[in-house]
Amino acid sequence: GESVGLHLPTLSVQEGDNSIINCAYSNSASDYFIWYKQESGKGPQFIIDIRSNMDKRQGQRVTVLLNKTVKHLSLQIAATQPGDSAVYFCAIQGTDKLIFGTGTRLQVFP
Amino acid sequence: DTGVSQDPRHKITKRGQNVTFRCDPISEHNRLYWYRQTLGQGPEFLTYFQNEAQLEKSRLLSDRFSAERPKGSFSTLEIQRTEQGDSAMYLCASSLGSGADSEAFFGQGTRLTVV
């Protein structure tokens, strides 16, 4: 079956620096990928998505990169702010459901 | 606030008791999902409804679990004879359709603690 894994359980960055969170997936047929942010005590919140026919998509301060050759996905956050502190999940849209990775905790220090 | 509401937010119960959680999705969304999230893990799919029809159930959903969406609006998830291993965050999400361009919105979750 499909699986999703993140490379690092915790990432610590200084406020103002850029953050990069990485994710690997197993199924080369996956065609839709989503990044979620989950703050403590809350449900996951959609950040940005990308389809398999693209290799890059940009939002406000966030960029998602997709490398289908090595089945790798990354989320880049520019000028990281304290409010970005949360757990970040990549997810694959499987057949009628989302398949989540284990998450990376982003810690932002002043 | 995503528009998906779950009740209660927290539930502490004794092992062996039954519990029921409620989810109110965004009103025009025809799809409703239940996920379970344990500490340090990503959400795991349990089941989903399209309107009132329950279309898929995960192997995680043992016989002690039952979910309903009687009128295609709100949904309930019941756990009978709770066990300590049931302790988790239970998340509900809703969407209009499925796949790309059908963003799933999550509620705040119900945190269940079985003692």
Side-chain angles (χ1 to χ4, degrees):
Chain A
E2 294 171 304
S3 67
V4 185
L6 271 79
H7 290 184
L8 284 176
T10 304
L11 177 65
S12 297
V13 298
Q14 191 163 23
E15 183 178 353
D17 286 353
N18 297 335
S19 302
I20 300 176
I21 300 172
N22 296 302
C23 180
Y25 61 95
S26 63
N27 188 348
S28 57
S30 300
D31 62 2
Y32 181 54
F33 307 85
I34 311 116
W35 281 99
Y36 284 90
K37 173 185 180 182
Q38 187 173 26
E39 296 174 286
S40 181
K42 297 185 178 181
Q45 178 185 5
F46 174 94
I47 302 173
I48 192 168
D49 59 359
I50 189 167
R51 298 192 195 209
S52 60
N53 61 353
M54 304 171 70
D55 53 21
K56 180 179 180 179
R57 191 165 187 217
Q58 288 185 291
Q60 188 177 13
R61 285 201 306 118
V62 294
T63 300
V64 55
L65 299 176
L66 176 63
N67 185 330
K68 295 179 287 294
T69 302
V70 295
K71 292 183 280 189
H72 182 271
L73 189 69
S74 69
L75 176 71
Q76 300 178 358
I77 304 173
T80 312
Q81 302 170 359
D84 296 326
S85 294
V87 179
Y88 290 81
F89 294 97
C90 63
I92 294 172
Q93 178 68 54
T95 307
D96 295 320
K97 58 183 173 285
L98 292 167
I99 300 166
F100 287 83
T102 52
T104 291
R105 179 173 297 280
L106 178 64
Q107 298 175 324
V108 183
F109 57 92
Chain B
D1 183 4
T2 63
V4 178
S5 63
Q6 293 187 244
D7 183 70
R9 292 290 310 278
H10 303 274
K11 177 71 177 178
I12 300 175
T13 191
K14 291 184 178 179
R15 190 174 50 188
Q17 297 294 304
N18 300 343
V19 294
T20 300
F21 311 141
R22 177 180 170 124
C23 171
D24 286 89
I26 294 171
S27 59
E28 63 268 25
H29 284 183
N30 58 347
R31 289 211 168 191
L32 186 149
Y33 306 82
W34 285 99
Y35 288 82
R36 182 178 73 181
Q37 185 176 26
T38 53
L39 201 62
Q41 300 297 314
E44 297 173 291
F45 171 80
L46 292 178
T47 188
Y48 88 93
F49 293 83
Q50 179 153 310
N51 300 312
E52 65 275 9
Q54 188 174 16
L55 297 185
E56 186 175 348
K57 292 192 284 188
S58 160
R59 289 192 302 272
L60 294 175
L61 214 67
S62 75
D63 292 344
R64 296 184 297 105
F65 288 69
S66 62
E68 294 182 342
R69 194 183 183 197
K71 297 181 180 179
S73 56
F74 74 92
S75 175
T76 58
L77 177 68
E78 181 183 17
I79 309 174
Q80 295 182 326
R81 304 181 302 282
T82 51
E83 301 173 356
Q84 287 188 320
D86 297 331
S87 296
M89 174 79 86
Y90 290 84
L91 292 162
C92 174
S94 71
S95 68
L96 187 63
S98 66
D101 301 322
S102 300
E103 181 183 339
F105 292 84
F106 283 82
Q108 306 265 44
T110 294
R111 181 168 294 285
L112 172 67
T113 302
V114 182
V115 297

